[in-house]
Amino acid sequence: MYLYHFGIRELPFTLTPNTSYFFGLPSHNEAMQVLLTALKTGEGFIKVTGEVGTGKTLICRKLLNELPDFFVAAYVPNPMLSPTELRRAVANELGVELGNDCDQQEFTQKIQERLIAIHQQQKSAVLIIDEAQALPTESIEALRLMTNLETESRKLLQVVLFGQPELDEKLALPELRQLRQRITFSYSLALMDPDQVYQYVRHRVNVAGYHGTDLFNRQCCELLYRASAGTPRVVNVLAHKALMLAYGEGKSAVEPEHIAAASADTEAAQTVSSKWWFNPQSKWLLLATTVVVIAMIAGIWNMRATL
């Protein structure tokens, strides 16, 4: 594709959550700090929410990679599970074998034995659930019952929920108020601003092996911001398409026209124009020029008035 043309070794804007491309946006860094602090203090439920494409799964995988050694992690990436299926998924992640006819009482006993064994090893068990907004209400209640297992001083199982804003709506249901009261730490991911888009894009192309002047200049990144509203996933889609367009034209860098064309071809993006009057710097220049002209005209009228 365009790898050889731009001198990069791999595609920099794929949609796969690759932790080697983790940029450390302020919002992402703060979320990681909240998560690690809450887990180390032994809190029961922790929640991270964000709009589609804001990097929740990337942070989830980053957390799994950076958990201290004294944590035993269970990871459920697809939680659209019935209570029974959820219990089996958690048991499997924690290394607990359940029979085909295992009921809730037997599950609770075996899980408790496993969690106590982890605790006796001076370790902590943490269950991380991605896309938690997909959890059925009955499964959320089953999850709450799992966290009832505790010692006199701390919970035997901590839970981290990653989800879209719909998760907050679901947890607001009256029948889930008991679980909602157990969420002691929560964080909401923010979108990127124009400068963060610029830094983010530079970071990804550099990680991909690019060395040279900016592939995406400030004007291009401003257009990326406008088209994506600062959503990382949409930025990735647009940047990838823009690179393909630049490569097709034999250009050595992306130009505003490529961003505009990519935005017109992407349903998740706002269509933007590459015309000069959409350039923020040009708009400020136009405004400053207008102010000067008005001041000059006012000065001329004042001079005439004094004559």
Side-chain angles (χ1 to χ4, degrees):
M1 196 176 288
Y2 52 69
L3 299 183
Y4 180 79
H5 178 75
F6 292 112
I8 51 181
R9 62 175 178 269
E10 59 187 15
L11 297 175
F13 296 106
T14 61
L15 299 185
T16 304
N18 186 342
T19 55
S20 65
Y21 281 87
F22 184 83
F23 174 48
L25 293 164
S27 180
H28 290 184
N29 285 335
E30 289 172 8
M32 284 294 296
Q33 291 172 4
V34 168
L35 288 166
L36 291 172
T37 299
L39 287 172
K40 289 176 183 177
T41 55
E43 300 297 339
F45 275 89
I46 308 150
K47 175 173 63 72
V48 175
T49 56
E51 278 292 348
V52 175
T54 50
K56 297 183 297 297
T57 299
L58 180 62
I59 295 174
C60 183
R61 294 187 181 181
K62 182 77 170 174
L63 176 64
L64 285 167
N65 291 344
E66 295 191 1
L67 277 175
D69 293 337
F70 59 83
F71 280 103
V72 176
Y75 175 50
V76 178
N78 179 20
M80 193 174 288
L81 306 169
S82 68
T84 299
E85 292 169 335
L86 178 62
R87 286 193 287 265
R88 288 190 175 277
V90 173
N92 183 64
E93 284 290 304
L94 292 175
V96 176
E97 293 185 6
L98 298 178
N100 293 330
D101 56 350
C102 177
D103 57 18
Q104 182 173 339
Q105 182 177 356
E106 184 180 356
F107 164 81
T108 301
Q109 181 181 349
K110 289 191 173 185
I111 284 291
Q112 185 169 21
E113 291 172 356
R114 173 59 176 148
L115 294 177
I116 290 174
I118 292 173
H119 180 71
Q120 289 173 342
Q121 297 169 8
Q122 304 299 313
K123 294 185 177 182
S124 298
V126 55
L127 171 61
I128 300 174
I129 300 180
D130 199 6
E131 302 294 346
Q133 78 280 347
L135 276 167
T137 303
E138 299 81 5
S139 299
I140 294 178
E141 177 62 14
L143 185 62
R144 181 187 69 83
L145 295 175
M146 288 184 209
T147 62
N148 283 341
L149 305 174
E150 57 190 357
T151 66
E152 292 184 355
S153 59
R154 66 181 296 151
K155 294 286 185 182
L156 289 175
L157 179 65
Q158 297 172 268
V159 179
V160 180
L161 302 174
F162 287 89
Q164 297 170 18
E166 290 81 358
L167 175 60
D168 290 327
E169 298 175 9
K170 183 168 288 188
L171 293 177
L173 295 173
E175 58 266 36
L176 296 178
R177 62 187 181 278
Q178 291 188 65
L179 186 145
R180 187 170 66 252
Q181 290 175 358
R182 296 188 182 186
I183 298 175
T184 52
F185 281 82
S186 63
Y187 189 85
S188 180
L189 296 174
L191 299 175
M192 295 186 287
D193 63 29
D195 183 66
Q196 289 168 356
V197 169
Y198 174 70
Q199 300 298 336
Y200 172 82
V201 169
R202 285 190 65 189
H203 169 78
R204 293 193 72 97
V205 296
N206 289 339
V207 172
Y210 177 74
H211 301 285
T213 56
D214 284 345
L215 276 179
F216 296 80
N217 61 26
R218 290 275 183 179
Q219 183 179 359
C220 287
C221 289
E222 172 68 27
L223 290 175
L224 280 175
Y225 166 74
R226 290 176 178 228
S228 68
T231 304
R233 182 182 296 166
V234 182
V235 169
N236 284 5
V237 172
L238 294 172
H240 173 65
K241 290 182 177 180
L243 284 171
M244 291 179 64
L245 290 168
Y247 163 68
E249 295 180 5
K251 300 292 180 65
S252 60
V254 172
E255 297 178 354
E257 291 76 12
H258 302 139
I259 305 294
S263 70
D265 185 57
T266 304
E267 290 190 11
Q270 295 291 323
T271 301
V272 295
S273 171
S274 62
K275 300 299 182 180
W276 70 270
W277 54 80
F278 280 83
N279 180 354
Q281 294 179 348
S282 296
K283 291 203 305 184
W284 284 113
L285 179 60
L286 177 62
L287 178 60
T289 303
T290 302
V291 171
V292 171
V293 170
I294 292 174
M296 291 176 62
I297 293 174
I300 292 172
W301 278 105
N302 288 334
M303 290 177 61
R304 288 182 176 181
T306 58
L307 293 176

